[in-house]
Amino acid sequence: MRAAYPRDTPDQQRVATVARVSTATVSRVFNSPHRVGEARRNRVLQAAKELGYTPNKFASALARKATGRVLFLDCNKLAAHDRVNQAYYAGLYKMSLEAVLGAVESSTYHLTIDLNGSAKPGDYDGIILFDVDSPEQVAPFLSSGIPTVYGHHLGGFSKGLRAGVDNKGGSVLAAQYLLDRGHRGIAYLTGRVPELNSHKDRLEGFVIRLEEANLGCTILQTPVGPRGGARGVQSLEKKLRAGSITAIGVMNDLTAFGAVQELLRLGIRIPEDVEVVGFDNLPILDLLPVRIPTVDLSLDEVYSRAAKKLLSSLESQGEQEELLVLPRLIRPNSNPGDPK
Amino acid sequence: MRAAYPRDTPDQQRVATVARVSTATVSRVFNSPHRVGEARRNRVLQAAKELGYTPNKFASALARKATGRVLFLDCNKLAAHDRVNQAYYAGLYKMSLEAVLGAVESSTYHLTIDLNGSAKPGDYDGIILFDVDSPEQVAPFLSSGIPTVYGHHLGGFSKGLRAGVDNKGGSVLAAQYLLDRGHRGIAYLTGRVPELNSHKDRLEGFVIRLEEANLGCTILQTPVGPRGGARGVQSLEKKLRAGSITAIGVMNDLTAFGAVQELLRLGIRIPEDVEVVGFDNLPILDLLPVRIPTVDLSLDEVYSRAAKKLLSSLESQGEQEELLVLPRLIRPNSNPGDPK
DNA sequence: TTGTATGCGTTATCAG
DNA sequence: CTGATAACGCATACAA
């Protein structure tokens, strides 16, 4: 037998009694406050506060004939050879999840997560797609009629509610950093271009900033990951030793990790001889004997906004805006563990 | 105005009609099947299957006067100096979450997550605590009367429903591996002993296995993390070069990472000269130029069982058993990305 | 603007 | 073992 636990949670009726109004008014105060007279509204809010009342989300959803649920779905499905790398991004997932949670928690909706992709639209009032890869991936959700918002690399996407990282802008920051440090011979390790939006945008932003400074850029396409980074450095070795290249921008930290390792192995000092700047702000950078700058995606910001946008579009059909968050540069001397 | 989405989900009434029974009977079939006659039960199951019926969890919770929610709370709060290391464990969190989800999903309960610790018991019918650290941490939950299950390092815990990793057993596997490889001079890097259960158990298991083989063990206490691992190796350098120590067990992979790096830096080859075995099966091991064996916590198994245990104890007050899952050794030649 | 009354899908009580 | 029926807490026509 299922045990019953005393739930002293006050209900709408209690609040209504205390506030000397009807339950309908209490409901209105929480759903369409503007439709309630100020005097009564204040009485209700006061009573609710005193009693510690929170609307029961389940009953709410039931009465509304809605599911009352918002889905958070991890879409991160890359090519098979990238699967192993995904483990390094779990921290970003967790951070994003936390951000979404903060927004949904305070609404009348419940956050539901799905990690294995077995979710059907229709079971949810709203959907948040994490780390989508291609338009085909989002299409079924958008056409389902369920309000959907997705993130976070938006290069090739053009429709629906979406929030993302300004990869181009982030790369501009990275290039800017190297320029400020006085570098003139700069190389860039790119990856899966042009298939991957994020890599393409990052490359573009980097090159653009250098062009603005009337500088060229040695672009090298390498496999993504530590091994690719090492290989990239090997290709550049001559120029690095000759001093014609003194800085390297890398498309992500996983690859930057390998690049740094290889540089050190070759006896090239960082940052004295060569400087490297990464992207993603992955914790693995702390495993290197030297600190390098990187670009933080600000995914918490991205998904917090995404969630809020979705929730507000659940109230009124919103517009199909795109929302871009500018990443922030993490300097090698700053402590990544610091409070933001 | 909130849009209404067509939910063609069949309800209890539809199933009841099709099965020619009352709604009460349908409810019983899904909650206490044994209280329904076989003929009718089959009719109901058949109808439910045809219609694709799933009980509405919200209505269920409402009628039951319960919250209908199960909480998954991340308790991982270590000392400040360890905070930075936590980022490496996000993957384990995600894996555990997925396991819990799988179990809860198919029940009439909803899984709710809380990442910032602002959850109050009483808002939930059941609670799953992830990665608890000390008995004081769980005490308020246990005394709240809400069924609670916690994991996953159970060394110092003695009450309540719990599921955990057999750290001792895992360490035995690690030691066994080194013995099988013919090593006789073996060292062990331990960490925060005796405060941390996991470290204590791992040390114990390792030493016990060596004792059984009539071997001693050079035990070294080092800080946890890459730097600590490097320092440990430095302390052992003479013995390593002399060949009196040819293998090192380490309390976790983060520390093992540093140990391996330092060994290689010293020109000591792995596994030819010295062999290292880690613990936790963290993906960062792939960032090393050599593969080392490690011990996988099987947290998916742990938390899957934990969730099932909790759910069943929600039906009937269960016993306060402890559940221990034996980790599995990951050999350096096996691919960690392989399907289990 | 406000209150009354009804229903949302399910479980639990009670009578048969 | 089974069926009718009353909650569960809330939102929303509808009436006032």
Side-chain angles (χ1 to χ4, degrees), chain A residues 50-309:
Chain A
E50 280 175 6
L51 297 171
Y53 167 75
T54 307
N56 182 319
K57 295 182 180 185
F58 291 0
S60 180
L62 200 60
R64 203 175 295 164
K65 296 192 195 186
T67 67
R69 311 195 297 181
V70 167
L71 173 68
F72 187 67
L73 175 62
D74 185 5
C75 291
N76 193 335
K77 319 251 183 217
L78 299 179
H81 95 279
D82 276 2
R83 286 209 80 81
V84 59
N85 293 347
Q86 288 185 44
Y88 302 106
Y89 291 90
L92 294 184
Y93 172 85
K94 196 175 174 185
M95 160 188 286
S96 306
L97 177 57
E98 186 169 8
V100 168
L101 207 59
V104 176
E105 187 74 351
S106 56
S107 75
T108 47
Y109 293 89
H110 250 289
L111 188 68
T112 303
I113 50 185
D114 180 6
L115 285 165
N116 49 22
S118 65
K120 289 167 294 183
D123 285 351
Y124 307 93
D125 289 342
I127 298 174
I128 301 175
L129 264 26
F130 176 78
D131 201 358
V132 301
D133 219 32
S134 67
E136 298 83 56
Q137 221 169 9
V138 278
F141 292 96
L142 290 182
S143 63
S144 73
I146 316 284
T148 301
V149 54
Y150 60 90
H152 52 254
H153 292 312
L154 268 28
F157 296 87
S158 57
K159 44 187 170 181
L161 260 58
R162 51 199 190 280
V165 172
D166 183 356
N167 281 301
K168 210 178 291 184
S171 252
V172 167
L173 292 180
Q176 181 65 53
Y177 174 85
L178 296 179
L179 291 174
D180 288 346
R181 301 274 294 172
H183 295 283
R184 290 298 174 264
I186 302 178
Y188 188 81
L189 299 188
T190 187
R192 299 174 55 203
V193 190
E195 323 101 75
L196 232 50
N197 306 323
S198 51
H199 292 190
K200 212 172 60 179
D201 288 347
R202 290 175 188 184
L203 171 61
E204 197 174 325
F206 199 85
V207 170
I208 284 180
R209 184 62 194 89
L210 294 191
E211 278 176 355
E212 283 174 5
N214 290 316
L215 288 177
C217 180
T218 306
I219 299 170
L220 220 65
Q221 188 160 5
T222 73
V224 179
R227 254 162 291 239
R231 204 179 303 174
V233 165
Q234 286 157 14
S235 307
L236 294 171
E237 186 177 356
K238 271 185 197 163
K239 294 183 181 178
L240 289 169
R241 294 210 186 272
S244 64
I245 286 181
T246 60
I248 309 175
V250 189
M251 100 297 271
N252 75 16
D253 283 344
L254 214 49
T255 313
F257 186 93
V260 168
Q261 273 190 325
E262 183 64 12
L263 285 169
L264 296 176
R265 202 183 65 78
L266 294 175
I268 299 175
R269 293 169 305 168
I270 299 174
E272 294 83 353
D273 301 331
V274 169
E275 225 166 340
V276 178
V277 52
F279 215 113
D280 283 348
N281 192 23
L282 292 192
I284 58 164
L285 290 187
D286 288 337
L287 298 175
L288 289 170
V290 295
R291 281 275 172 87
I292 65 166
T294 184
V295 178
D296 186 275
L297 267 32
S298 304
L299 282 190
D300 45 357
E301 179 77 16
V302 170
Y303 282 97
S304 169
R305 290 206 205 172
K308 282 172 189 158
K309 187 160 198 164

Side-chain angles (χ1 to χ4, degrees), chain B residues 222-287:
Chain B
T222 74
V224 180
R227 253 162 293 242
R231 203 179 305 175
V233 166
Q234 285 158 15
S235 307
L236 293 172
E237 187 178 354
K238 270 187 198 163
K239 293 184 182 175
L240 290 168
R241 295 210 186 272
S244 65
I245 287 180
T246 61
I248 310 176
V250 188
M251 101 296 272
N252 76 14
D253 283 345
L254 214 48
T255 311
F257 186 94
V260 168
Q261 272 191 325
E262 184 65 11
L263 284 168
L264 295 177
R265 202 183 66 79
L266 293 174
I268 299 173
R269 293 170 305 169
I270 299 174
E272 293 83 353
D273 302 330
V274 168
E275 228 168 338
V276 178
V277 52
F279 215 113
D280 282 349
N281 192 23
L282 293 192
I284 58 165
L285 290 187
D286 288 337
L287 299 174

Side-chain angles (χ1 to χ4, degrees), chain A residues 147 161 309-310 312-321:
Chain A
L161 260 58
K309 187 160 198 164
L310 177 70
S312 73
S313 98
L314 285 178
E315 310 288 335
S316 57
Q317 285 303 24
E319 331 70 53
Q320 305 207 340
E321 274 177 274

Side-chain angles (χ1 to χ4, degrees), chain B residues 53-70:
Chain B
Y53 167 75
T54 307
N56 182 319
K57 294 183 181 185
F58 290 0
S60 178
L62 199 60
R64 203 174 305 180
K65 295 193 198 188
T67 68
R69 310 195 297 180
V70 167

